[in-house]
């Protein structure tokens, strides 16, 4: 799995829009055996499944069985990519367990899991409602990746096939930021859990299952509409981020921070005294005011 996901079974959460949709399209175009889509937006999920199946049919017409043009005949006889949409609210543990069981029955062992689903509440902590804001943010962003991975990881371990787990965290999980307190907490949790899981798998001899933790700054998906990037940290194009994440996933890279300034900020925060870092982050990089114009998706 160093160059392609051809023949793999892939599950993507938050698949119906933004980067999730791009991951799904990439998986289909590379000839994945099965692409499983989890999302709670029924209409968007149906549209995505229809579009992906159209891609499969178009590729099949161009080259039998979805093989690349002028490929050797060894690709013949293998089924084309199958697309499996599931209406799932990953904020609900019961829904995760029920749909994971259905996926195992329908598709089998998952080879690539991309924990992409996420939500954000851009306000001061005291403006968060416990039930409407804090609880769902922690459930979707922090707990869901753990619950979902726990459902599929045993199969990955037992299969002995090359497997990948991608956990989408955030630069907010490395550096504190006003108006992101709960979101930052959820992403700090993801980073700590994800990288610990990577070490556990390596330590116990399950090196065929590799974990990649992704910590990007702002991406122009609409999720952070109105936010601006800090100094030397532009709001990134989703296609660029997906390309970088995909390559890191295939290579089994442990950590991906985007852009490079995220790693720089993390290093500076680690060596500078808190007050000195606050001054640099606020007055030089402008980190602490990036959410001032936040509106989010309309």
């Amino acid at each position: 799995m160093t160059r392609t996901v051809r023949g793999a079974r892939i599950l993507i959460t938050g698949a119906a829009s933004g980067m999730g949709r791009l991951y799904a399209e990439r998986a289909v175009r590379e000839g994945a055996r099965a692409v499983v889509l989890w999302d709670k937006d029924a209409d968007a999920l149906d549209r995505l499944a229809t579009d992906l199946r159209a891609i499969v049919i178009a590729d099949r017409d161009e080259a039998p069985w979805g093989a690349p043009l002028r490929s050797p005949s060894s690709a013949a006889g293998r089924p084309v990519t199958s697309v499996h949409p599931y209406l799932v609210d990953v904020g609900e543990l019961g829904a995760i367990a029920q749909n994971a069981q259905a996926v195992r029955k329908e598709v089998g062992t998952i080879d690539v899991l991309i924990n992409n689903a996420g939500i954000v509440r851009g306000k001061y902590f005291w403006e968060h409602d416990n039930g409407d804001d804090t609880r769902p943010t922690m459930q979707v962003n922090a707990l869901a990746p753990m619950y979902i991975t726990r459902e599929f990881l045993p199969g990955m371990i037992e299969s002995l096939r090359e497997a990948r787990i991608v956990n989408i965290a955030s630069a907010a999980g490395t550096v504190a930021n006003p108006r992101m307190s709960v979101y930052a907490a959820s992403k700090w949790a993801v980073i700590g859990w994800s990288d610990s899981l990577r070490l556990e798998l390596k330590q116990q001899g399950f090196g065929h299952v590799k974990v990649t933790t992704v910590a990007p700054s702002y991406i122009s998906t609409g999720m952070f509409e109105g936010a601006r990037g800090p100094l030397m940290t532009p709001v990134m194009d989703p296609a660029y981020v997906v390309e970088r994440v995909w390559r890191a996933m295939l290579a089994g890279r442990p950590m991906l921070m985007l852009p490079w300034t995220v790693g720089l900020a993390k290093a500076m925060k680690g060596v500078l005294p808190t007050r000195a870092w606050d001054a640099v982050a606020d007055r030089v990089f402008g980190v602490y005011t990036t959410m001032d114009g936040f509106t989010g998706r309309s």
Side-chain angles (χ1 to χ4, degrees), residues 120-290:
V120 63
R121 301 288 192 268
K123 48 183 133 180
Y124 294 114
F125 175 69
W126 54 87
E127 295 173 342
H128 285 72
D129 179 84
N130 284 340
D132 294 336
D133 299 317
T134 303
R135 186 169 182 264
T137 299
M138 297 305 294
Q139 286 178 323
V140 172
N141 293 359
L143 292 177
M146 299 184 200
Y147 292 154
I148 296 166
T149 301
R150 181 60 184 84
E151 288 286 345
F152 296 106
L153 182 57
M156 292 178 169
I157 291 173
E158 292 172 8
S159 74
L160 299 181
R161 296 194 302 267
E162 282 289 310
R164 300 289 188 270
I165 299 169
V166 179
N167 297 311
I168 306 299
S170 169
T174 65
V175 176
N177 196 16
R179 302 193 186 192
M180 296 184 79
S181 53
V182 176
Y183 179 80
S186 69
K187 295 301 185 178
W188 282 40
V190 170
I191 292 174
W193 159 73
S194 181
D195 209 38
S196 295
L197 172 62
R198 174 186 67 83
L199 293 171
E200 290 173 347
L201 290 166
K202 181 178 179 181
Q203 184 187 72
Q204 294 303 306
F206 304 130
H208 62 290
V209 183
K210 292 181 171 58
V211 180
T212 298
T213 308
V214 183
S217 185
Y218 299 123
I219 307 169
S220 59
T221 60
M223 183 175 178
F224 281 96
E225 189 67 33
R228 61 168 183 78
L231 180 68
M232 299 185 297
T233 309
V235 176
M236 294 178 290
D237 178 71
Y240 165 76
V241 177
V242 166
E243 172 66 24
R244 293 290 305 275
V245 171
W246 202 262
R247 292 194 324 227
M249 176 268 291
L250 290 174
R253 181 174 171 181
M255 181 75 67
L256 177 64
M257 296 184 180
L258 292 173
W260 64 274
T261 48
V262 174
L264 174 64
K266 182 175 182 292
M268 292 181 67
K269 182 178 182 292
V271 298
L272 291 176
T274 299
R275 289 183 180 177
W277 164 247
D278 281 349
V280 170
D282 191 15
R283 299 171 192 170
V284 178
F285 289 102
V287 174
Y288 294 168
T289 56
T290 58

Side-chain angles (χ1 to χ4, degrees), residues 6 60 63-68 70-80:
R6 182 173 177 80
R60 183 177 58 190
W65 304 107
R70 296 181 296 279
S71 67
S73 59
S74 59
R78 246 197 50 208
V80 296

